[in-house]
């Protein structure tokens, strides 16, 4: 949110209800809808809804949010490895 990039139409987080509760107020300030995908049972949490949305197994919607989560993991792991390699070379 600190960058000059355009705001997204939707933010989907990796995590469950707790992670969603932590960031939902920030996204609400900039009027971007947010949801969180919990990996264990593939539950999609939405703000102000006590129960998760359960997308049908094999549905295109579930596949899409799973791919988004998996790409976020891949990116984070790659970035961590790059930082670690950079730090090791600096020593």
């Amino acid at each position: 949110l600190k960058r000059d990039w355009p705001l997204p139409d939707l933010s989907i987080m990796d995590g469950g209800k707790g992670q969603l509760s932590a960031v939902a107020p920030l996204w609400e300030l900039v009027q971007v809808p947010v949801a969180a995908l919990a990996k264990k049972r593939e539950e999609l949490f939405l703000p102000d809804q006590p129960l998760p949305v359960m997308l049908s197994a094999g549905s295109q919607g579930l596949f899409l949010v799973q791919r988004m989560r998996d790409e976020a993991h891949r990116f984070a792991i790659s970035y961590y490895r790059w930082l670690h390699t950079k730090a090791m070379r600096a020593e």
Side-chain angles (χ1 to χ4, degrees):
L1 293 176
K2 292 181 181 180
R3 309 243 183 213
D4 289 330
W5 298 336
L7 290 172
D9 294 325
L10 171 67
S11 176
I12 298 185
M13 304 182 39
D14 177 26
K17 193 171 187 78
Q19 289 83 353
L20 178 62
S21 296
V23 301
L26 300 174
W27 286 112
E28 190 174 297
L29 285 175
V30 292
Q31 299 178 342
V32 173
V34 63
L37 181 65
K39 189 169 189 174
K40 192 171 192 177
R41 294 192 330 216
E42 305 294 2
E43 299 169 315
L44 188 65
F45 289 93
L46 302 172
D48 302 323
Q49 292 201 13
L51 298 175
V53 174
M54 301 299 293
L55 299 172
S56 300
S59 73
Q60 292 296 315
L62 179 59
F63 180 70
L64 176 63
V65 292
Q66 286 173 329
R67 291 291 306 255
M68 292 167 65
R69 181 203 49 224
D70 294 347
E71 176 60 18
H73 282 176
R74 186 205 61 77
F75 180 84
I77 290 168
S78 296
Y79 182 68
Y80 169 78
R81 287 180 181 156
W82 177 79
L83 285 177
H84 184 71
T85 300
K86 183 179 167 184
M88 294 298 286
R89 288 184 184 154
E91 292 179 5

